[in-house]
Amino acid sequence: MLTFATLRERWPSFAGGFVVLFLGMAMVSMSVLALASAGARVPERLAGTPVFVSVPMAERGDGDFAPDRPWSPETVASLRERLDAIPGVAQAVPDRTFYAQPVIGGRPVAGDRGYAWSAAMLAPYPLTAGAAPREGEVALDRSLGLAPGERVSVLTVHGPVTYPVSGTVDGPGVYLNDAEAARLSAGVRAIGLVTEPGADVAAVAAAARAVAGGVVLTGEGRGALETREDERTRWIGLQVLTAMAALSAFVSVLVVGSTFAVGVAQRRREFGLLRAVGATPRQVRRMVYGEALAVGVTATAGGVAAGALLGPVLGDLLVTVGFQPPGFAVRWSPLPLAGSFAVGVVVTLAGVWSASRRAARVRPLEALREAEVDDRPMPRGRWIAGVACCALGLAAAAGAGRSDGSDAFVVSGLVAAMGVIAGLALLSPAVVPPVARLVSWPLARGRGATGMLVRENALTAVRRTAATATPVLITVGCAVLITGMVQTTAAAFAEVRATTIRADAVIVPDGTPGLTDAAASAAGAESSLFSGLFEPDGGVLSAIGATPELLERAGDVQMVSGSLDALRSEDRVLVAQWLAEDRGLRPGSTLPVSFEDGTSATPTVAGVVREADADVLLSRELLRRHDPVALAEEAYVAGAAGPPGPGARVMDVPTYAAEADAEEDRLVWIATVLLVVVSTAYAGVAIVNTMAMSAAGRVRDLAVLRLSGATVRQVLATVAAESVLVVLLGGGLGLVVALPALLGMRRAFATAMRADVPLVVPWPLILGVIAACLALAACAAVLAARPAVRRAAPAGAAETRWRRGPRSG
Amino acid sequence: MDREETVRLRAVRRLYGTAAHTVRALDGVTASFHAGTLTAIMGPSGSGKSTLLHCAAGLDRPTGGTVAIDGTDLGSLSENGLTLLRRERVGFVFQAFNLVSALTAEQNVALPLRLAGRAAPSGLVRAALAEVGLADRAGHRPSGLSGGEQQRVAIARALITRPAVVFADEPTGQLDTRVSRQILGMLRGLVDDRGQTMIMVTHDPVTASYADRVLFLADGRVVDELTGTVTAEIVAARMAVLEAAPC
Ligand SMILES: Nc1ncnc2c1ncn2[C@@H]1O[C@H](COP(=O)(O)OP(=O)(O)O)[C@@H](O)[C@H]1O
Ligand SMILES: [Mg+2]
């Protein structure tokens, strides 16, 4: 009874908690739904085939997307033969894929995958027109708008090739005759078993299991056949979604906690009265929990419903931005929604825990207090936690400052700033007032009443001042720190690239995933290829295929022993120092490996390099021969560069240095901005909440102001100016905490990279954050105070209102 | 009169403040309050009237001495036990802020019963409201009631558990004379008709004149007592003596 009556009576004071829980739980449920939908999916182009045999899949660490070792061509042939013989199998089809990107109207189209024609039956994608491709012909996606008989230019790993179109299919991709596809493809990693109509799939799978040499995948298990890129994209999406959900839940706990803390502080007399007429502390605590749960359950239910509705929109957004692979869609399922609901309830209970204890400690005599003064000191636990956080932060800062760049200075810097920010936030009731006194000192010198009022209000309403300044402090501090770090890191890498690239121009992909050999060697350009080598035990080594000249010019390879000239020979390789030490390799040792095409070799180690971008260096020709799919990421041109052909463009070195890694940087940046925007939104809710809740406590003060001759406008100006002062205070503190940490990090970077790293802070974004907080605080304060100011109008308010226009407050 | 003692205070002391600077709000008060009587406690401002009431009602714990209600020693009760005793055996009427603003008059009256987990039959609650003349106001919230009506709701709530004793701290302190008279008349009626025990703090001689007995406090001690015929004139005269005395 009392719970609902209280909610009805005091809903504005619960509004902040409600809004935050609603938003937070919408966020959480959306993220959780997306997470639940984000499992590996059976690729559409393989969906029509019930059973697959795949290469054994190695256990990989989190965030490791190294490919599995493909079968050797001999193994593929023998597997095929044995799988073909299984009763019920119509055909065992090796899944061969390669790079093939049609160029239409001079521009490469969006899809860049090519397949062997026989793989079209895995979907299946039957012909919609024309015939299957013979040697030198191509069948392709009907949606490209080409008809059988027309000719199309297709970019392959070697360069553009013009094919006559033999037919079209109703699915994505470019299809070549099997023999031609085999020459362009990497090693086979999966064989699809196309079954005869009416075949017993379980029996086929069992028979396939009996054929040694692979893993049998059926049903949803075929999701393991998704591409490594999709897997990596999903992994990134997972991180972003998890971060969002965690941040939302965390902020919800904090805001619910502070909402109820303020609410309890404002209602001490009521709790005292209840205690006096016979409520036990336990009953009071249960009452506060009841109110919180009533608010929490409705807000959570609403939030989860909104999240469920918006989930598909989020799914599309994630795909657009690049946090989920194409084809990803959010699916509704009850469990994630129920889980989100439970999270909301737990968040509510956690948030209200401390407030309920405080309410239960109210003594019955407090019912008789004349005025509601909030003179309780800061709890000891908060002091201890705040000082501990600051100490941890300062210790980490000292560590980061002393760092020579070899250890995890980025982490130290982050811990330093986070520690101090959290510490300051905890200590804010103690820290903010003296700082406010200092900063607002000039206001006391002026002659106008507003300045004096603003200062005194901010100083006396300690709790309100701290409650407003703290979210701004946290948001601005974190925004400066995280965005500054991301951009400074990017700038540092760009700087390092710019100083190490010794070339006149760079050829880069343009609308393609990489450079074809033709584009990469245009105008005498040189390029390296990046690939993987598979050790006999299944381990994967990264490999770069390059010419000695190119490595020389790139300038970042330091020899420990041997010389780069070894790369002119086909059977010799250079290995990284760590690998040499780990495997006991010396010049003259052999390194048995197999390649991306499944073939094996035993090259001789000719030397050891100290710093290289890969574990193994080998000749470009050797790598190309064994990896028909690798595309160069960039090619370096000495002297004037000519036109590189379709799918590539020429850039000067400084531009390239600044833009390289753009895709990766773009994703990180989007995630960062998203984080900043979400936390600013939460800070905004916290600010508005504080303003709305403290408005009630100010009614009397404002009325006194009015009665002592202030116009409505003057009073509101005072209120707005006070909130502006407090927000600026929080923002300033945030900057003061974050900037030194950033500067320390920049110095450590500069030392580590031996380059002049600029400090980049995205000021427009930071200023935007502060401006948003300012606007919200001022508007909320004025709107919350206005009814009270109007009501408190002395006789003659009407006149005042009429005269208000031309005067300034 | 040989009636049983409902409330008994023995050598009750209550100190406030730090070791360096203590205020003796109560300095050894011994007093008994008998069933079915209305006692007024009077004294100058700051003499310890409210403190005495709080200690006697179990809202506050004395620094020394004992308080017993219906024979139960409050000092022996835990915080919870004290709460239960207040809920079952004691009623309160404060000077102001008596009601939970979110609840209607009827709900406010039913509050002690509900807190005790007992049934609060609507008939009983409405009868209690009718007794204080507010039968037609049951559904109103405090913000829609006048000061006098709010005090009457508070009285109805104080009586709903049939307490052994009702404490009132300046119950008419914020009301005008006419409404004060009505309420005091009602309280007097409860004592006479139902035999309700009542202890009331006031600094107004006219209010005190409704009582059977008046205790005078000064500097935390009982300095005088009036029984028998209590009139406003006698009370005012005694008060004048007290207020003139040097502190
Ligand atoms: N919570 C308190 N803390 C400190 N001193 C108090 C407190 N409550 C009352 N006092 C002091 O105790 C004395 C008696 O107060 P009180 O019982 O309220 O007097 P009365 O009700 O007669 O005006 C006064 O001097 C008052 O200042
Ligand atoms: Mg008093």
Side-chain angles (χ1 to χ4, degrees), chain B residues 31 60 63 68 74 85 91 103 129 132 135 166 178 186:
Chain B
D60 197 6
T63 314
L74 302 195
L85 176 112
L103 300 181
L129 276 173
V132 295
V166 170
R178 193 179 57 85
M186 180 188 301

Side-chain angles (χ1 to χ4, degrees), chain B residues 16-17 23-25 43-52 169-170 201 217:
Chain B
Y16 283 117
V23 176
R24 289 171 179 273
S45 184
S47 57
K49 304 183 294 289
S50 295
T51 308
L52 174 65
D169 193 350
E170 314 230 15
V201 163
L217 276 189

Side-chain angles (χ1 to χ4, degrees), chain A residues 362-556:
Chain A
V362 172
R363 282 161 299 127
L365 271 184
E366 294 190 48
L368 308 175
R369 290 228 262 187
E370 280 300 312
E372 301 259 340
V373 272
D374 198 3
D375 52 1
R376 286 165 307 124
M378 213 167 86
R380 195 142 49 102
R382 190 162 173 171
W383 268 108
I384 294 172
V387 170
C389 280
C390 283
L392 176 76
L394 292 178
R402 264 189 279 109
S403 164
D404 57 358
S406 56
D407 49 8
F409 59 88
V410 174
V411 176
S412 315
L414 211 60
V415 171
M418 292 296 192
V420 178
I421 290 173
L424 272 190
L426 285 167
L427 296 178
S428 62
V431 172
V432 169
V435 180
R437 187 178 302 278
L438 204 71
V439 172
S440 63
W441 179 73
L443 289 179
R445 315 280 301 166
R447 297 240 312 280
T450 308
M452 180 192 71
L453 280 171
V454 166
R455 174 174 149 95
E456 296 309 321
N457 274 339
L459 291 182
T460 33
V462 172
R463 199 161 282 270
R464 182 174 69 226
T465 304
T468 313
T470 307
V472 183
L473 184 160
I474 296 176
T475 310
V476 170
C478 291
V480 169
L481 187 73
I482 297 173
T483 59
M485 206 177 69
V486 167
Q487 298 225 323
T488 301
T489 310
F493 283 114
E495 192 65 36
V496 169
R497 274 192 300 269
T499 50
T500 50
I501 296 171
R502 278 171 249 160
D504 296 312
V506 185
I507 301 174
V508 295
D510 185 15
T512 58
L515 297 175
T516 66
D517 283 349
S521 58
E526 292 209 72
S527 62
S528 58
L529 296 176
F530 191 85
S531 181
L533 298 179
F534 304 93
E535 293 186 285
D537 63 1
V540 187
L541 300 174
S542 58
I544 286 178
T547 60
E549 290 76 21
L550 180 69
L551 291 174
E552 195 99 51
R553 231 188 352 259
D556 48 21

